[in-house]
Amino acid sequence: MSDISPEYVLKRLGKPVTDLNFWSSGSTQPFLLASYGENGGVDLWDLKTKRSACHIASHAPMLSCYGMNTGEVITFDKEGQLKLVKIRGAEAVNEVCLSTPNAGFCKAAVLPMHSDSSNAIKVAVPGEETSSMNVWDLKNTKILSRLTPPDGFKLGMPMCSKLVNVHSNLVAFIGYEDGTMLKWDVTNEKVISKGERLFDEPVMTFDLCNDTALDSAQFGFCASATNELIKWHVETNFSKEANLNSKVEDFQIMKKISLLNPGIASLKIRSDKKIIATGGWDYKVRIFSFKSLKPLAVLQYHTGTVQAVAFSECLQSFGQLLACGSIDNKISVWKLYNS
């Protein structure tokens, strides 16, 4: 399936795409949030009109954007500015603006509000020390936890992260520059699982979902600057603390495949757990079976690294969409494998 074409293409001239997220803003109106490098800010693309309904300006290259069901958008830029922005029609109003010490390359990880009964907006971004991450209560502008690996472990910078709730316990997954992934108990600031040196290069991207057969466990996929794509499984045990000196891998490697070309910049699991999508340095988007990692399709449209991919939920009149954003300034939107 390499000869299909996108449904449509969105473009902001001279602005390489860095992040994508579908967003309904608490209504049935579907939007696509897109952040850009080169001081490009964030667009709220109206999927009906195919035009930007609102633009959030920025003086720094954006790393990430995320929409809350309360009508607010969280943005994070290369200068470490973490903002909560209220969208009022075509107007964007800053509600909170924090200066964080060390943005690096890591996008902000936001805990979905439906996963948290406290209604706090919890966001993880790089912290003061080289390998550390801070988890913020964004509305109250306070740090809830500092996730700092023990002394002597040179993991390098955090490259990518996600926040999830497991049995009402806040958990952070973090991929590091040395190719390691750690799973943290955020409240107690301790490592509870690890995948040591999964790659010889930095963990560039990963995504995960709950194991429906074992609700304390997760399936995940991760990738790096190499040509390897790994599927893993990990259980949660809050009563233990991982021994970082041990060579035992707590992340169980389920499958590993090698792609033709190195470099995977982006990766997402579709919510029905049937397929995953990866965006490559070779400008291609690849679709794989969630279960077997069997290659299903190669989408060839972009002329630059595909830095962001995002799946929608099943949208009325739209179905499930796949959006792909590239440094070629374009966002391609696709329909595929809709039941």
Side-chain angles (χ1 to χ4, degrees):
M1 192 190 286
S2 59
D3 56 346
I4 65 171
S5 299
E7 293 288 308
Y8 52 87
V9 175
L10 308 171
K11 184 176 182 179
R12 181 173 282 278
L13 289 174
K15 305 300 178 185
V17 181
T18 58
D19 198 21
L20 294 171
N21 279 290
F22 285 93
W23 184 45
S24 64
S25 181
S27 68
T28 57
Q29 174 71 7
F31 292 96
L32 178 63
L33 284 168
S35 67
Y36 309 99
E38 306 294 336
N39 309 340
V42 173
D43 273 326
L44 280 72
W45 289 100
D46 185 323
L47 298 185
K48 290 184 177 179
T49 65
K50 314 297 189 298
R51 297 188 179 197
S52 177
C54 179
H55 182 74
I56 303 171
S58 172
H59 298 295
M62 279 289 175
L63 284 169
S64 61
C65 56
Y66 186 89
M68 309 296 292
N69 57 14
T70 53
E72 294 156 317
V73 173
I74 296 167
T75 67
F76 187 51
D77 68 32
K78 284 285 287 181
E79 293 182 356
Q81 295 289 309
L82 179 63
K83 296 181 180 180
L84 181 66
V85 183
K86 185 70 175 181
I87 305 301
R88 299 186 178 127
E91 185 183 13
V93 180
N94 288 341
E95 290 191 331
V96 177
C97 181
L98 295 174
S99 292
T100 65
N102 184 22
F105 301 98
C106 188
K107 297 177 180 180
V110 182
L111 180 70
M113 289 193 76
H114 63 75
S115 302
D116 186 62
S117 58
S118 70
N119 290 323
I121 298 177
K122 296 174 181 177
V123 185
V125 295
E128 298 83 357
E129 299 182 44
T130 300
S131 301
S132 68
M133 292 284 285
N134 290 340
V135 180
W136 287 84
D137 175 346
L138 185 54
K139 277 201 167 180
N140 292 312
T141 64
K142 66 178 182 180
I143 294 176
L144 301 175
S145 299
R146 287 181 166 87
L147 308 180
T148 304
D151 291 340
F153 291 90
K154 300 185 183 302
L155 301 174
M157 294 184 295
M159 303 296 293
C160 43
S161 63
K162 284 193 176 295
L163 292 177
V164 296
N165 256 336
V166 180
H167 297 312
S168 301
N169 294 287
L170 185 58
V171 171
F173 286 81
I174 304 174
Y176 295 90
E177 188 178 3
D178 81 328
T180 293
M181 286 194 67
L182 297 181
K183 181 179 180 180
W184 291 81
D185 174 349
V186 172
T187 303
N188 295 302
E189 300 180 348
K190 67 178 185 180
V191 177
I192 51 177
S193 298
K194 66 183 178 68
E196 189 174 359
R197 297 300 302 270
L198 298 176
F199 303 101
D200 293 329
E201 298 283 348
V203 182
M204 300 295 294
T205 182
F206 72 90
D207 199 9
L208 59 92
C209 63
N210 287 330
D211 180 351
T212 53
L214 185 63
D215 60 4
S216 63
Q218 293 80 36
F219 286 108
F221 300 83
C222 59
S224 73
T226 71
N227 67 338
E228 293 182 330
L229 176 61
I230 293 175
K231 180 181 182 180
W232 46 259
H233 183 264
V234 63
E235 295 187 33
T236 300
N237 186 344
F238 289 98
S239 65
K240 74 166 187 173
E241 183 167 0
N243 177 7
L244 294 183
N245 288 305
S246 169
K247 294 299 182 183
V248 175
E249 297 292 332
D250 291 316
F251 279 56
Q252 179 187 357
I253 305 303
M254 307 290 291
K255 193 170 181 64
K256 182 187 294 188
I257 64 170
S258 297
L259 307 186
L260 182 62
N261 299 316
I264 299 175
S266 51
L267 186 158
K268 281 289 168 62
I269 302 169
R270 199 165 75 174
S271 60
D272 60 8
K273 301 177 188 176
K274 291 184 177 179
I275 58 175
I276 71 166
T278 65
W281 291 2
D282 61 0
Y283 316 161
K284 295 179 176 64
V285 176
R286 290 178 167 83
I287 310 299
F288 299 90
S289 162
F290 174 94
K291 185 176 181 179
S292 66
L293 270 184
K294 176 184 176 182
L296 300 176
V298 179
L299 309 181
Q300 301 187 64
Y301 171 79
H302 290 285
T303 57
T305 296
V306 180
Q307 298 194 119
V309 291
F311 284 111
S312 74
E313 298 297 329
C314 191
L315 302 171
Q316 187 175 5
S317 303
F318 292 89
Q320 284 187 295
L321 301 176
L322 168 65
C324 310
S326 169
I327 63 172
D328 66 7
N329 313 325
K330 297 175 184 177
I331 303 166
S332 59
V333 180
W334 308 73
K335 283 185 182 179
L336 67 163
Y337 299 108
N338 275 293
S339 57

